[in-house]
Amino acid sequence: MNLYDSKAQTLREFVPLKAGEVGMYVCGPTVQGAPHVGHLRSALVYDILRRWLAAKGLRVTLVRNVTDIDDKVLEKASEAGVPWWALAYQFEQEFNAAYRTLGIEAPTYEPRATGHITEMLELVDRLIDAGYAYQATDGSADVYFKASKWASYGELTNQRIEDMVDDAEGQLRGKLDARDFTLWKAAKPNEPVTAQWPTRFGAGRPGWHLECSAMATRYLGARFDIHGGGLDLRFPHHENELAQSRAAGDEFANFWLHNGLVNVGGQKMSKSLGNSTFASDLFTQARPIAARYFLGSAHYRSVLDLHDSALAEAESAISRVEGFLARAERKLGRRDFEGHHDRYQQLPTAFVSAMDEDLNLPAALAALHEAVRAGNAALDAHEDAAAQVELSAVTAMVDVLGLNPNSSVWSVGQGDSAESKALGSLMEALIAERNLARANKDFARSDAIRDQLKAAGIQLEDAADGTNWSIS
RNA sequence: GGUGGAGUGGCUGAGCGGCCCAAAGCAACAGCCUGCAAAGCUGUAAACCCACGGGUUCAAAUCCCGUCUCCACCUCCA
């Protein structure tokens, strides 16, 4: 398959470094606030990529970190009057809950920055030994990376170091050059002692860039297949990661992937505009499966716009797919696959080539809808064999995309509960009564039942072989 | 100033030299189905030829040049 490598600025054929295995590192959140739609999109993109690679038979190791120590974490915790680690953990849990709601699978490893101080300090030592890092000249415990010495600096974002704006003129503090960046931060007087780790430079805590390099190589080795993250992280974060890891002698990522950002109503999300849409907002406006459909409906590298009707459109579109699956499964039974290989065989070629071409999700969804239409047509024509083929295809696609409505991830707290059994028997009785009224041409009565149910959020669907119901 | 991305039907959104008189979804309209609906299917209309102007080519939405507009990033602290 081909993937767009941001560093090479072109599509490249993806070949795993080690046959049959893929190592992926994705920048996770700094847990200093509640998850918003941008965080969710990023996590979702790599979840789908991971599922696709797995569907192709590759063994994927996905690492997504949690930045649980950072200036903002300390600042917010201090404002809230709670310990920084409590604040970080609270938001980490919120992120995980939002990921689960969206059906995003847990990463293979989910390292926290604070759990990898040793690895980070080792990396700092290697950089100092190699002459690419130095302790601050003002005697503080800050440690900087010598960007000006690393000749390849700027290779990820195609910038020349001499073109970079030195806006920090006069704010060098202990830096030799304004473009040098912080690897390790000296503890400040007002910061809690729990946010400090002793080092030979003095007490301090890790800089953001250092964390990711240390954790990526800790779990994936000195060279690994894919490094992903949001487009806003390209510079300086990823540029710095690349520089420090390479300067330390690690080859680092083979592919750099960047997902596009989410706009709200055509505008960038920002605190000052007050238009940030959080996971909690999203889930009150749409069912999780519809939210997932929406977040995956644009190409992963495009800007995704959350406009007024976007979620309603996604809801309609996924309902169509759900409707077909429910209808086909009533008639033909649920399609179960023997395994990944069996499932992969059922995927239409248009879907496979779309996914293989830089994860072209809009084209993949087009293939999905095409199969749904063909499947519905086959059911209408009572061509069961043809319908079965489409049912298999749709089930396989929806599995790969994480949009299978039958998946247990969407039905937390539902299923075989006493409530749902009670509802089922009530519905059975009401449907029987309505059908009796219809047979007697008492349409006033039958429509009253239908309207009443609709007001309660229950849709009826009259099929040739009986009446079905669903909750919207 | 530098780097990168984008401008396609009413909306969303693929396509990035010929298969494009441009996928798919949403919205609209009509027919079939239905007691009537819903769902489904079929069809229609919808992009004054894909921001604008020029060029290359047998052939351009797709390549080149210019212009306009929009977006992202350009070092912790933003």
Side-chain angles (χ1 to χ4, degrees):
Chain A
M1 75 182 291
N2 286 320
L3 286 174
Y4 186 86
D5 178 12
S6 300
K7 181 160 171 281
Q9 292 182 50
T10 185
L11 287 175
R12 289 173 56 209
E13 190 187 350
F14 177 71
V15 179
L17 294 169
K18 191 171 173 191
E21 293 182 19
V22 179
M24 264 176 88
Y25 184 89
V26 174
C27 283
T30 296
V31 282
Q32 47 108 359
H36 59 61
V37 289
H39 295 121
L40 297 182
R41 183 193 191 188
S42 179
L44 176 63
V45 162
Y46 301 105
D47 181 60
I48 296 174
L49 175 59
R50 173 207 209 173
R51 287 168 187 260
W52 181 236
L53 294 170
K56 293 170 76 69
L58 295 164
R59 213 164 69 230
V60 183
T61 302
L62 174 65
V63 180
R64 188 184 61 217
N65 71 296
V66 174
T67 298
D68 59 344
I69 181 82
D70 169 87
D71 290 351
K72 282 190 190 156
V73 172
L74 294 176
E75 199 179 296
K76 293 258 175 82
S78 158
E79 282 167 16
V82 297
W84 63 271
W85 41 266
L87 181 105
Y89 186 59
Q90 177 205 325
F91 286 124
E92 181 183 326
Q93 286 182 302
E94 280 192 34
F95 271 89
N96 284 330
Y99 292 149
R100 266 198 309 277
T101 303
L102 262 194
I104 293 170
E105 289 175 354
T108 319
Y109 304 111
E110 197 169 12
R112 293 188 190 129
T114 51
H116 299 76
I117 303 293
T118 307
E119 287 85 348
M120 295 176 205
L121 291 172
E122 278 170 8
L123 180 54
V124 169
D125 282 342
R126 284 163 65 201
L127 286 168
I128 287 179
D129 290 347
Y132 286 107
Y134 59 95
Q135 185 171 0
T137 55
D138 61 6
S140 78
D142 283 329
V143 180
Y144 297 111
F145 180 83
K146 239 183 240 181
S148 48
K149 186 182 175 185
W150 180 245
S152 304
Y153 194 73
E155 64 178 328
L156 179 67
T157 49
N158 196 25
Q159 302 180 90
R160 296 155 153 272
I161 193 162
E162 53 269 28
D163 287 342
M164 291 181 191
V165 191
D166 322 10
D167 65 338
E169 214 57 72
Q171 285 190 27
L172 285 175
R173 294 190 313 223
K175 286 186 190 178
L176 295 173
D177 185 290
R179 286 158 295 210
D180 293 350
F181 61 86
T182 310
L183 293 168
W184 185 263
K185 296 185 166 204
K188 298 189 184 65
N190 60 335
E191 290 175 358
V193 289
T194 52
Q196 299 173 16
W197 285 263
T199 72
R200 59 186 171 98
F201 320 107
R205 59 192 164 85
W208 180 34
H209 314 307
L210 182 68
E211 298 172 10
C212 285
S213 282
M215 290 188 276
T217 49
R218 161 70 177 75
Y219 291 94
L220 298 171
R223 63 198 279 256
F224 54 93
D225 295 289
I226 296 170
H227 190 312
L231 194 56
D232 54 344
L233 300 183
R234 276 175 79 224
F235 195 90
H237 187 52
H238 291 166
E239 187 74 71
N240 290 172
E241 272 186 59
L242 179 63
Q244 69 205 176
S245 284
R246 296 288 296 275
D250 295 338
E251 268 191 55
F252 219 54
N254 189 207
F255 277 74
W256 286 87
L257 266 54
H258 289 99
N259 62 277
L261 307 179
V262 181
N263 282 174
V264 173
Q267 287 184 307
K268 184 187 173 179
M269 271 197 298
S270 77
K271 249 174 252 173
S272 55
L273 286 169
N275 63 349
S276 297
T277 302
F278 295 96
S280 52
D281 302 323
L282 190 67
F283 298 139
T284 57
Q285 291 167 39
R287 293 150 64 220
I289 195 172
R292 184 175 173 111
Y293 184 98
F294 162 70
L295 290 169
S297 63
H299 188 103
Y300 80 88
R301 286 193 281 123
S302 309
V303 174
L304 176 67
D305 191 31
L306 177 56
H307 54 95
D308 288 342
S309 53
L311 293 171
E313 281 179 23
E315 173 60 49
S316 298
I318 191 66
S319 293
R320 186 174 150 73
V321 176
E322 292 174 306
F324 166 68
L325 284 172
R327 184 183 176 204
E329 286 166 359
R330 274 196 298 272
K331 187 155 190 198
L332 307 167
R334 189 177 293 188
R335 181 64 165 93
D336 291 313
F337 298 109
E338 302 294 326
H340 288 288
H341 184 71
D342 179 30
R343 186 174 70 186
Y344 191 81
Q345 298 301 318
Q346 306 301 323
L347 296 168
T349 54
F351 181 87
V352 172
S353 47
M355 295 296 280
D356 273 347
E357 195 60 18
D358 198 27
L359 216 62
N360 188 336
L361 295 177
L365 291 175
L368 174 65
H369 281 102
E370 196 56 45
V372 166
R373 191 201 51 74
N376 273 318
L379 288 172
D380 281 354
H382 304 290
E383 291 165 358
D384 284 7
Q388 182 65 62
V389 170
E390 302 303 340
L391 173 60
S392 297
V394 169
T395 306
M397 286 187 274
V398 112
D399 258 1
V400 167
L401 296 171
L403 288 170
N404 192 334
N406 295 322
S407 165
S408 59
V409 304
W410 310 119
S411 55
V412 179
Q414 291 177 31
D416 298 330
S417 66
E419 287 85 352
S420 73
K421 280 180 187 161
L423 179 62
S425 70
L426 282 173
M427 285 305 301
E428 217 170 284
L430 281 169
I431 286 171
E433 186 190 343
R434 174 168 169 270
N435 284 338
L436 185 65
R438 289 171 73 204
N440 295 331
K441 303 215 185 298
D442 179 4
F443 297 124
R445 178 63 192 144
S446 68
D447 289 354
I449 293 172
R450 186 169 67 193
D451 292 345
Q452 206 175 1
L453 288 172
K454 191 178 178 189
I458 296 171
Q459 275 76 45
L460 294 183
E461 196 180 306
D462 292 323
D465 52 355
T467 301
N468 305 299
W469 62 277
S470 61
I471 301 176
S472 65

